Amino acid sequence: MKSLFFFLSIFFAFLTTAFAQKTGVQGKVVDENREPLPFLTIYLEDGTQSTTTNANGDYFLALPKGEYQIIFRFVGYETVSKTVEINQEVVTLDLEMKPVSFLLKEVEITPDKENPAYAIIRQAQRKRTFYRDELKAYSFKSYIKCIQKLDEFDVPRLFIGKKEQDEIKRQMKENKGIVYLSESISRCYFKAPNSKKEVMIASKVSGNSNGFSWNSTTDMLLNLYENQQNIQVAPRPFVSPIAQNAFSHYEYRYLGETNDRGRLVHKIEVLPKNKYGALYSGEIFIQDSTWRIHSVNLLVKKEAGLEYLEYVKIKQVFVPLAGDIWQLGTQVFDFRLDVGMMGVKVKGNGSYAGSFSEYNLEPRFTQNSLKKDLGNKYIPTKSAKAKTKKVASRQQTQKQSNKDLKTNQKEIVKKEDEIDKKEAKAFFKGETMLIPDSVNKKTEAFWLEQRPVPLTAEEKEDYVRKDSIELVVNSKAYLDSTDKVNNRFKFNSLLFGYTYQNRHKKYRLSTSSLINGLSFNTVEGWVVNPSINLVKYDNEKYRYHSNLFSVRYGFSSKKWYYTFNHFTTFDLVKRRQFRFIAQRDINQFHVGAIQPFINTLYTIFAEENYIKLYERDLIHFAYNQELFNGVSIYLAGQWENRRTLQNATNLPKTYIDYEHKIFDTNNPIPIEDPNVLPTQSKAVLLSANLRVRLKQTYLMRPYQKVVLETPYPTLYLRYQMGVPILGASSNFHRITLEINDQTKVGRIGNLQYLFKAGTFLQAQNLTFFDYQHFDTSPILLARSENLLFLNLPYYAHSTNGNFVEGHLEHDFGGFLMKKLPLFRKTTATFVIKGSYLYTSQNTQVSKPVHYAEISFGVTKILKTLRLDLVHSWKSNWATQEGIYYQNPWGLRLRFNN
């Protein structure tokens, strides 16, 4: 059956190719040794169109009938110009490129004469900002091809079974190592100072006809005219070889000059002063007199801070446009993957190649111009449609204005400029990338006509094989047969969980792992918490319905509990979600204060019971939605009946019993006050949370809105009230304002912060269940979150008054660690964090309390762990009241967040 599909796919591909009407020039480009030159830049002399060769040196440039001057350019080789006349058929033009001869003049370097390499770089530095800001607005067409291969994949049996390993190796061999192949064509728009937008025209993913490529041109572009460049695979930005402070980081060696079609081009070797710094090495080619970047051939090594890659090779070639303006023609990232950790070995390679053409230096940023650029095939989103109506209204106003102001041309121009500004503001607002749902439905004829870089034989075979296999694996017969095999119940399913699925009908039924649901605490003894979850999903439209039912039984408390949790995601554009919970269960006073597994380890091996539990009956409703871009609201209502619990008296002796230790009570506070912590308390709670992401940008995919990082903080306004109805006694209002952000601080690292302030209003009847609690982890095996306290005792500062909380953490990336000889080759980085807490009153002290701590840590130890040394200070706590004492020093070991 697979052979039949394979044959039919090849047959139809042949027919499509045979009947596709196209004209242009094609050929193969090789070097002096007859070896192919991959990713060589080919463009028309006027710069209107360009392409590159593929991995085998083959190229195709689609052109209508006429006579053209075609330029062939490759880093380190002589530029070649050829005149081609195209009549009716495709013209074949093969070419052999010759290495360029760089003339190295004798240069005497004396105290009064500067090294020529430094003099040229200095000139390029002076022109850097001019070329960075040269174009106030422009657009271009982009073609991206990404291919990733695996050479070796070895995972210990602990993580994956032998059958799964054999299947992966079989697929690797069958696919010749290709694990991912995708192409995309986009139109990209830029407007000074920092507005950008990309609209995808076509997308193709091998073996996934319904998939959409994650290729992003705007994220891929590397602008060396900027002082620093962010490379996604590195924790710190890299310093450009022509940055303002480049001489502090690089040494330069003059390698000679050559004449490139009447232009003198200098070749300069770039040498990083610090082998382990976030710096490039390689060559940069600078035009004489204009001091523009002509092309680059740079290398980023693993020592420079790459976490999972051995190296990244970067090639850029600039092409001339009208008015002696040069812009990027091609950019290629070649990379080598090398991951080794905990017995896992993964090695591979790949490339991320881009070809940029059809530059428009006077674009109009309107929906109508966008439709024109995309061939009237652009499908706007709802927001875009609304903007289009507004633009049409403005255009009508413009026509009326032109009629009324025929005699005043200046007023007309002024009015047009105002309209252009408003349209451009709407064009770039929020949405930085749009992927319409039609982009993955392009025919093979479309790709044959529009693809600027020919596929290699290997890539063609991968498309045909995987696309034919996709037809089989998505059929009902195949899905049912494989589900039948995978749904067989195995003995280890009792321990690790079992899943029954029907992929054709798109649902699955799964049970939890007994190991994950097993824990021990002093209230219930040994606990089992099995669950069963029925999920109905639609992966194409990102809709998700989950119905989870769990039971819980404590062998010492001899009590049963249950939970029903329904969750629905309606869509991922507006983030519309609904949740309903009905339960009688055990809960922590502060949700997530300590993980049950970690508490189990401490209880069994150290006779410490940090977890504090109470019993709760709950009916809960919640709804979440984004109101408009960047602003979301969360509404919730619930009824609760809470009851305190005591430690069990019949705990089994499965824990280590130390003579000098006894378990703490289950009371989270060291006082007995029924007004603060009654044995039973009912509450009706209403909540409304407003989240505001300032200047939120996003990527719009079909049925999915992907929010992107911005340099602006996120604000939260939270309100909760206790309503004294239905037998509830709680009567209070709590208001909390929170601001947090994560941002890069140049090459120094990443900064995170969180500040929170709040108060209780009308809190005459407020119990400890509804107090404000604070995230903390004052134990060696700490939680992995970054912005929490590390030495504040659990519940020690829980308050029913005013509170202010702040956390500030800075991860230096490799900024400091790479300067230490013993740590340069590691991925570890230094982290420093400070935290502060103020409460007007709390359960320990009736007076205002100030608490602060500072920690010094090392993260990414063995790529996964983090170790912190923390020191804390406190006032009006142990010194005045003598109620609670905490060691001011502590070590915290945790996983990287």
Side-chain angles (χ1 to χ4, degrees), residues 222 224 226-231 233-241 243 250 277-281 299-301 303-306 314 746-747:
L222 205 66
L224 294 176
E226 297 283 356
N227 279 322
Q228 299 175 354
Q229 295 78 45
N230 290 316
I231 300 179
V233 293
R236 291 187 296 151
F238 279 64
V239 178
S240 169
Y250 294 103
L279 304 170
Y280 305 99
S281 60
L299 175 67
V300 175
K301 299 180 181 179
E303 293 87 344
L306 302 181
I314 304 168
R747 299 182 65 250

Side-chain angles (χ1 to χ4, degrees), residues 303-322:
E303 293 87 344
L306 302 181
E307 296 184 3
Y308 300 106
L309 300 180
E310 188 176 336
Y311 63 77
V312 177
K313 295 179 180 178
I314 304 168
K315 291 185 179 180
Q316 288 185 331
V317 174
F318 290 78
V319 298
L321 306 179

Side-chain angles (χ1 to χ4, degrees), residues 126-281:
R126 290 169 182 163
K127 298 288 287 186
R128 180 184 62 81
T129 56
F130 174 79
Y131 291 132
R132 182 195 64 189
D133 305 329
E134 184 177 22
L135 296 179
K136 302 302 180 185
Y138 64 98
S139 69
F140 61 84
K141 186 179 180 180
S142 166
Y143 168 79
I144 302 291
K145 178 162 64 177
C146 179
I147 184 169
Q148 298 175 17
K149 299 180 180 181
L150 284 184
D151 304 328
E152 180 180 349
F153 184 86
D154 190 11
V155 179
R157 297 281 182 86
L158 178 65
F159 302 109
I160 190 172
K162 185 178 184 304
K163 289 184 178 180
E164 288 80 2
Q165 278 191 344
D166 292 342
E167 176 63 17
I168 291 173
K169 291 179 180 179
R170 184 193 66 79
Q171 291 184 12
M172 285 176 55
K173 184 178 180 180
E174 185 177 289
N175 297 327
K176 296 184 178 180
I178 299 178
V179 295
Y180 181 76
L181 171 62
S182 74
E183 300 174 274
S184 64
I185 299 175
S186 300
R187 189 78 194 176
C188 303
Y189 300 84
F190 293 85
K191 184 178 182 298
N194 52 15
S195 297
K196 61 182 180 180
K197 184 170 185 173
E198 178 177 354
V199 180
M200 191 172 285
I201 302 171
S203 171
K204 188 175 178 68
V205 181
S206 181
N208 187 0
S209 59
N210 291 323
F212 297 90
S213 171
W214 285 96
N215 297 342
S216 173
T217 302
T218 52
D219 287 341
M220 175 191 181
L221 293 179
L222 205 66
N223 188 354
L224 294 176
Y225 289 117
E226 297 283 356
N227 279 322
Q228 299 175 354
Q229 295 78 45
N230 290 316
I231 300 179
Q232 295 182 355
V233 293
R236 291 187 296 151
F238 279 64
V239 178
S240 169
I242 60 170
Q244 185 178 1
N245 61 340
F247 290 130
S248 301
H249 301 281
Y250 294 103
E251 293 179 350
Y252 302 92
R253 182 182 301 162
Y254 189 72
L255 299 181
E257 62 185 35
T258 189
N259 190 295
D260 182 14
R261 304 186 73 239
R263 298 177 184 273
L264 189 63
V265 178
H266 302 281
K267 181 180 181 181
I268 298 172
E269 185 176 9
V270 179
L271 303 166
K273 290 183 177 180
N274 180 5
K275 177 182 177 181
Y276 299 95
L279 304 170
Y280 305 99
S281 60

Side-chain angles (χ1 to χ4, degrees), residues 5-16:
F5 276 105
F6 184 75
F7 171 77
L8 290 175
S9 299
I10 294 178
F11 178 70
F12 285 117
F14 171 78
L15 287 179
T16 306

